[in-house]
PDB file of all heavy atoms in Angstrom:
ATOM      1  N   LEU A  62      12.914   8.387   4.586  1.00  0.00           N
ATOM      2  CA  LEU A  62      13.585   7.535   3.595  1.00  0.00           C
ATOM      3  C   LEU A  62      14.485   6.503   4.271  1.00  0.00           C
ATOM      4  O   LEU A  62      14.559   5.349   3.844  1.00  0.00           O
ATOM      5  CB  LEU A  62      14.388   8.402   2.621  1.00  0.00           C
ATOM      6  CG  LEU A  62      13.564   9.255   1.663  1.00  0.00           C
ATOM      7  CD1 LEU A  62      14.464  10.192   0.863  1.00  0.00           C
ATOM      8  CD2 LEU A  62      12.737   8.378   0.726  1.00  0.00           C
ATOM      9  N   LEU A  65      12.370   3.794   5.798  1.00  0.00           N
ATOM     10  CA  LEU A  65      11.921   2.855   4.772  1.00  0.00           C
ATOM     11  C   LEU A  65      13.027   1.871   4.398  1.00  0.00           C
ATOM     12  O   LEU A  65      12.750   0.691   4.116  1.00  0.00           O
ATOM     13  CB  LEU A  65      11.458   3.627   3.525  1.00  0.00           C
ATOM     14  CG  LEU A  65      10.147   4.397   3.702  1.00  0.00           C
ATOM     15  CD1 LEU A  65       9.899   5.304   2.499  1.00  0.00           C
ATOM     16  CD2 LEU A  65       8.977   3.436   3.900  1.00  0.00           C
ATOM     17  N   GLU A  66      14.257   2.311   4.412  1.00  0.00           N
ATOM     18  CA  GLU A  66      15.375   1.399   4.140  1.00  0.00           C
ATOM     19  C   GLU A  66      15.486   0.343   5.233  1.00  0.00           C
ATOM     20  O   GLU A  66      15.768  -0.834   4.954  1.00  0.00           O
ATOM     21  CB  GLU A  66      16.679   2.195   4.016  1.00  0.00           C
ATOM     22  CG  GLU A  66      16.768   3.024   2.736  1.00  0.00           C
ATOM     23  CD  GLU A  66      18.123   3.695   2.577  1.00  0.00           C
ATOM     24  OE1 GLU A  66      19.047   3.346   3.345  1.00  0.00           O
ATOM     25  OE2 GLU A  66      18.242   4.560   1.694  1.00  0.00           O
ATOM     26  N   ALA A  69      12.661  -2.065   4.699  1.00  0.00           N
ATOM     27  CA  ALA A  69      12.944  -2.924   3.549  1.00  0.00           C
ATOM     28  C   ALA A  69      13.945  -4.009   3.912  1.00  0.00           C
ATOM     29  O   ALA A  69      13.835  -5.158   3.460  1.00  0.00           O
ATOM     30  CB  ALA A  69      13.474  -2.081   2.388  1.00  0.00           C
ATOM     31  N   ALA A 101       2.497   8.764  -1.203  1.00  0.00           N
ATOM     32  CA  ALA A 101       3.204   8.591  -2.476  1.00  0.00           C
ATOM     33  C   ALA A 101       4.686   8.323  -2.254  1.00  0.00           C
ATOM     34  O   ALA A 101       5.279   7.431  -2.881  1.00  0.00           O
ATOM     35  CB  ALA A 101       3.021   9.828  -3.345  1.00  0.00           C
ATOM     36  N   LEU A 102       5.308   9.077  -1.338  1.00  0.00           N
ATOM     37  CA  LEU A 102       6.730   8.885  -1.049  1.00  0.00           C
ATOM     38  C   LEU A 102       6.989   7.482  -0.512  1.00  0.00           C
ATOM     39  O   LEU A 102       7.933   6.793  -0.953  1.00  0.00           O
ATOM     40  CB  LEU A 102       7.191   9.926  -0.024  1.00  0.00           C
ATOM     41  CG  LEU A 102       8.630   9.794   0.496  1.00  0.00           C
ATOM     42  CD1 LEU A 102       9.627  10.044  -0.627  1.00  0.00           C
ATOM     43  CD2 LEU A 102       8.870  10.739   1.664  1.00  0.00           C
ATOM     44  N   ILE A 103       6.167   7.027   0.416  1.00  0.00           N
ATOM     45  CA  ILE A 103       6.361   5.717   1.039  1.00  0.00           C
ATOM     46  C   ILE A 103       6.195   4.594   0.016  1.00  0.00           C
ATOM     47  O   ILE A 103       7.034   3.692  -0.084  1.00  0.00           O
ATOM     48  CB  ILE A 103       5.373   5.540   2.209  1.00  0.00           C
ATOM     49  CG1 ILE A 103       5.742   6.487   3.355  1.00  0.00           C
ATOM     50  CG2 ILE A 103       5.361   4.090   2.698  1.00  0.00           C
ATOM     51  CD1 ILE A 103       4.712   6.549   4.467  1.00  0.00           C
ATOM     52  N   VAL A 104       5.111   4.650  -0.758  1.00  0.00           N
ATOM     53  CA  VAL A 104       4.845   3.580  -1.729  1.00  0.00           C
ATOM     54  C   VAL A 104       5.908   3.552  -2.819  1.00  0.00           C
ATOM     55  O   VAL A 104       6.419   2.476  -3.188  1.00  0.00           O
ATOM     56  CB  VAL A 104       3.438   3.746  -2.344  1.00  0.00           C
ATOM     57  CG1 VAL A 104       3.226   2.767  -3.491  1.00  0.00           C
ATOM     58  CG2 VAL A 104       2.369   3.553  -1.275  1.00  0.00           C
ATOM     59  N   ARG A 105       6.264   4.709  -3.339  1.00  0.00           N
ATOM     60  CA  ARG A 105       7.271   4.761  -4.414  1.00  0.00           C
ATOM     61  C   ARG A 105       8.609   4.218  -3.945  1.00  0.00           C
ATOM     62  O   ARG A 105       9.271   3.455  -4.662  1.00  0.00           O
ATOM     63  CB  ARG A 105       7.421   6.199  -4.906  1.00  0.00           C
ATOM     64  CG  ARG A 105       6.217   6.725  -5.666  1.00  0.00           C
ATOM     65  CD  ARG A 105       6.277   8.219  -5.866  1.00  0.00           C
ATOM     66  NE  ARG A 105       7.434   8.624  -6.643  1.00  0.00           N
ATOM     67  CZ  ARG A 105       7.737   9.892  -6.909  1.00  0.00           C
ATOM     68  NH1 ARG A 105       6.979  10.870  -6.445  1.00  0.00           N
ATOM     69  NH2 ARG A 105       8.790  10.184  -7.636  1.00  0.00           N
ATOM     70  N   ARG A 106       9.017   4.585  -2.733  1.00  0.00           N
ATOM     71  CA  ARG A 106      10.321   4.138  -2.232  1.00  0.00           C
ATOM     72  C   ARG A 106      10.331   2.641  -1.948  1.00  0.00           C
ATOM     73  O   ARG A 106      11.301   1.941  -2.251  1.00  0.00           O
ATOM     74  CB  ARG A 106      10.683   4.923  -0.967  1.00  0.00           C
ATOM     75  CG  ARG A 106      12.121   4.689  -0.492  1.00  0.00           C
ATOM     76  CD  ARG A 106      13.108   5.042  -1.574  1.00  0.00           C
ATOM     77  NE  ARG A 106      14.484   4.704  -1.182  1.00  0.00           N
ATOM     78  CZ  ARG A 106      15.485   4.587  -2.027  1.00  0.00           C
ATOM     79  NH1 ARG A 106      15.278   4.772  -3.330  1.00  0.00           N
ATOM     80  NH2 ARG A 106      16.698   4.284  -1.614  1.00  0.00           N
ATOM     81  N   LEU A 107       9.234   2.137  -1.390  1.00  0.00           N
ATOM     82  CA  LEU A 107       9.156   0.696  -1.138  1.00  0.00           C
ATOM     83  C   LEU A 107       9.162  -0.090  -2.441  1.00  0.00           C
ATOM     84  O   LEU A 107       9.697  -1.202  -2.499  1.00  0.00           O
ATOM     85  CB  LEU A 107       7.893   0.364  -0.331  1.00  0.00           C
ATOM     86  CG  LEU A 107       7.920   0.721   1.160  1.00  0.00           C
ATOM     87  CD1 LEU A 107       6.601   0.359   1.815  1.00  0.00           C
ATOM     88  CD2 LEU A 107       9.088   0.041   1.879  1.00  0.00           C
ATOM     89  N   CYS A 108       8.577   0.475  -3.477  1.00  0.00           N
ATOM     90  CA  CYS A 108       8.587  -0.193  -4.780  1.00  0.00           C
ATOM     91  C   CYS A 108      10.008  -0.326  -5.324  1.00  0.00           C
ATOM     92  O   CYS A 108      10.348  -1.299  -5.991  1.00  0.00           O
ATOM     93  CB  CYS A 108       7.709   0.576  -5.773  1.00  0.00           C
ATOM     94  SG  CYS A 108       5.941   0.321  -5.526  1.00  0.00           S
ATOM     95  N   VAL A 109      10.837   0.665  -5.028  1.00  0.00           N
ATOM     96  CA  VAL A 109      12.239   0.608  -5.455  1.00  0.00           C
ATOM     97  C   VAL A 109      13.012  -0.402  -4.617  1.00  0.00           C
ATOM     98  O   VAL A 109      13.796  -1.198  -5.136  1.00  0.00           O
ATOM     99  CB  VAL A 109      12.889   2.003  -5.349  1.00  0.00           C
ATOM    100  CG1 VAL A 109      14.399   1.917  -5.598  1.00  0.00           C
ATOM    101  CG2 VAL A 109      12.254   2.971  -6.341  1.00  0.00           C
ATOM    102  N   LEU A 110      12.764  -0.391  -3.317  1.00  0.00           N
ATOM    103  CA  LEU A 110      13.542  -1.217  -2.400  1.00  0.00           C
ATOM    104  C   LEU A 110      13.101  -2.681  -2.376  1.00  0.00           C
ATOM    105  O   LEU A 110      13.919  -3.572  -2.129  1.00  0.00           O
ATOM    106  CB  LEU A 110      13.450  -0.646  -0.980  1.00  0.00           C
ATOM    107  CG  LEU A 110      14.060   0.749  -0.764  1.00  0.00           C
ATOM    108  CD1 LEU A 110      13.678   1.288   0.613  1.00  0.00           C
ATOM    109  CD2 LEU A 110      15.575   0.712  -0.916  1.00  0.00           C
ATOM    110  N   LEU A 111      11.821  -2.930  -2.622  1.00  0.00           N
ATOM    111  CA  LEU A 111      11.296  -4.287  -2.436  1.00  0.00           C
ATOM    112  C   LEU A 111      10.667  -4.886  -3.688  1.00  0.00           C
ATOM    113  O   LEU A 111      10.059  -5.958  -3.618  1.00  0.00           O
ATOM    114  CB  LEU A 111      10.241  -4.273  -1.312  1.00  0.00           C
ATOM    115  CG  LEU A 111      10.768  -3.964   0.085  1.00  0.00           C
ATOM    116  CD1 LEU A 111       9.606  -3.803   1.067  1.00  0.00           C
ATOM    117  CD2 LEU A 111      11.704  -5.057   0.565  1.00  0.00           C
ATOM    118  N   ASP A 112      10.758  -4.237  -4.825  1.00  0.00           N
ATOM    119  CA  ASP A 112      10.199  -4.685  -6.093  1.00  0.00           C
ATOM    120  C   ASP A 112       8.750  -4.213  -6.217  1.00  0.00           C
ATOM    121  O   ASP A 112       7.874  -4.593  -5.424  1.00  0.00           O
ATOM    122  CB  ASP A 112      10.255  -6.204  -6.245  1.00  0.00           C
ATOM    123  CG  ASP A 112       9.659  -6.656  -7.574  1.00  0.00           C
ATOM    124  OD1 ASP A 112      10.223  -6.301  -8.614  1.00  0.00           O
ATOM    125  OD2 ASP A 112       8.620  -7.330  -7.547  1.00  0.00           O
ATOM    126  N   ALA A 113       8.514  -3.387  -7.221  1.00  0.00           N
ATOM    127  CA  ALA A 113       7.215  -2.740  -7.400  1.00  0.00           C
ATOM    128  C   ALA A 113       6.083  -3.745  -7.571  1.00  0.00           C
ATOM    129  O   ALA A 113       5.006  -3.606  -6.971  1.00  0.00           O
ATOM    130  CB  ALA A 113       7.268  -1.798  -8.604  1.00  0.00           C
ATOM    131  N   GLU A 114       6.307  -4.777  -8.376  1.00  0.00           N
ATOM    132  CA  GLU A 114       5.242  -5.746  -8.612  1.00  0.00           C
ATOM    133  C   GLU A 114       4.860  -6.465  -7.327  1.00  0.00           C
ATOM    134  O   GLU A 114       3.670  -6.664  -7.029  1.00  0.00           O
ATOM    135  CB  GLU A 114       5.663  -6.761  -9.673  1.00  0.00           C
ATOM    136  CG  GLU A 114       4.575  -7.761 -10.001  1.00  0.00           C
ATOM    137  CD  GLU A 114       4.962  -8.743 -11.095  1.00  0.00           C
ATOM    138  OE1 GLU A 114       6.033  -8.542 -11.722  1.00  0.00           O
ATOM    139  OE2 GLU A 114       4.211  -9.709 -11.318  1.00  0.00           O
ATOM    140  N   VAL A 116       5.181  -5.385  -4.251  1.00  0.00           N
ATOM    141  CA  VAL A 116       4.498  -4.455  -3.353  1.00  0.00           C
ATOM    142  C   VAL A 116       3.052  -4.256  -3.791  1.00  0.00           C
ATOM    143  O   VAL A 116       2.116  -4.322  -2.975  1.00  0.00           O
ATOM    144  CB  VAL A 116       5.233  -3.096  -3.313  1.00  0.00           C
ATOM    145  CG1 VAL A 116       4.399  -2.049  -2.576  1.00  0.00           C
ATOM    146  CG2 VAL A 116       6.587  -3.248  -2.639  1.00  0.00           C
ATOM    147  N   TYR A 117       2.835  -4.032  -5.080  1.00  0.00           N
ATOM    148  CA  TYR A 117       1.481  -3.767  -5.574  1.00  0.00           C
ATOM    149  C   TYR A 117       0.589  -4.994  -5.470  1.00  0.00           C
ATOM    150  O   TYR A 117      -0.603  -4.882  -5.172  1.00  0.00           O
ATOM    151  CB  TYR A 117       1.529  -3.230  -7.000  1.00  0.00           C
ATOM    152  CG  TYR A 117       1.400  -1.719  -7.042  1.00  0.00           C
ATOM    153  CD1 TYR A 117       2.441  -0.906  -6.593  1.00  0.00           C
ATOM    154  CD2 TYR A 117       0.243  -1.102  -7.486  1.00  0.00           C
ATOM    155  CE1 TYR A 117       2.329   0.465  -6.605  1.00  0.00           C
ATOM    156  CE2 TYR A 117       0.116   0.274  -7.508  1.00  0.00           C
ATOM    157  CZ  TYR A 117       1.156   1.060  -7.061  1.00  0.00           C
ATOM    158  OH  TYR A 117       1.036   2.424  -7.060  1.00  0.00           O
ATOM    159  N   SER A 147       4.276   7.738 -11.608  1.00  0.00           N
ATOM    160  CA  SER A 147       5.603   7.682 -10.985  1.00  0.00           C
ATOM    161  C   SER A 147       6.635   7.032 -11.898  1.00  0.00           C
ATOM    162  O   SER A 147       6.380   5.964 -12.472  1.00  0.00           O
ATOM    163  CB  SER A 147       5.542   6.909  -9.661  1.00  0.00           C
ATOM    164  OG  SER A 147       4.671   7.549  -8.760  1.00  0.00           O
ATOM    165  N   SER A 148       7.791   7.656 -11.996  1.00  0.00           N
ATOM    166  CA  SER A 148       8.865   7.102 -12.827  1.00  0.00           C
ATOM    167  C   SER A 148       9.366   5.776 -12.268  1.00  0.00           C
ATOM    168  O   SER A 148       9.811   4.902 -13.020  1.00  0.00           O
ATOM    169  CB  SER A 148      10.027   8.100 -12.906  1.00  0.00           C
ATOM    170  OG  SER A 148      10.520   8.410 -11.605  1.00  0.00           O
ATOM    171  N   GLU A 149       9.276   5.600 -10.935  1.00  0.00           N
ATOM    172  CA  GLU A 149       9.741   4.359 -10.321  1.00  0.00           C
ATOM    173  C   GLU A 149       8.910   3.151 -10.754  1.00  0.00           C
ATOM    174  O   GLU A 149       9.346   2.013 -10.610  1.00  0.00           O
ATOM    175  CB  GLU A 149       9.678   4.472  -8.784  1.00  0.00           C
ATOM    176  CG  GLU A 149      10.633   5.487  -8.187  1.00  0.00           C
ATOM    177  CD  GLU A 149      10.014   6.866  -8.079  1.00  0.00           C
ATOM    178  OE1 GLU A 149       9.017   7.131  -8.785  1.00  0.00           O
ATOM    179  OE2 GLU A 149      10.538   7.681  -7.298  1.00  0.00           O
ATOM    180  N   LEU A 150       7.714   3.390 -11.264  1.00  0.00           N
ATOM    181  CA  LEU A 150       6.830   2.285 -11.637  1.00  0.00           C
ATOM    182  C   LEU A 150       6.691   2.125 -13.148  1.00  0.00           C
ATOM    183  O   LEU A 150       5.741   1.516 -13.634  1.00  0.00           O
ATOM    184  CB  LEU A 150       5.443   2.484 -11.008  1.00  0.00           C
ATOM    185  CG  LEU A 150       5.322   2.008  -9.553  1.00  0.00           C
ATOM    186  CD1 LEU A 150       5.972   2.982  -8.594  1.00  0.00           C
ATOM    187  CD2 LEU A 150       3.874   1.797  -9.159  1.00  0.00           C
ATOM    188  N   SER A 151       7.649   2.660 -13.892  1.00  0.00           N
ATOM    189  CA  SER A 151       7.576   2.585 -15.357  1.00  0.00           C
ATOM    190  C   SER A 151       7.615   1.134 -15.846  1.00  0.00           C
ATOM    191  O   SER A 151       6.917   0.774 -16.799  1.00  0.00           O
ATOM    192  CB  SER A 151       8.723   3.395 -15.984  1.00  0.00           C
ATOM    193  OG  SER A 151       9.979   2.883 -15.556  1.00  0.00           O
TER     194      SER A 151
END
Side-chain angles (χ1 to χ4, degrees):
L62 290 173
L65 289 171
E66 289 186 11
L102 175 66
I103 291 171
V104 172
R105 291 167 61 183
R106 189 57 185 162
L107 285 179
C108 284
V109 172
L110 296 170
L111 293 173
D112 180 64
E114 182 178 351
V116 170
Y117 261 71
S147 299
S148 58
E149 294 90 340
L150 277 76
S151 60

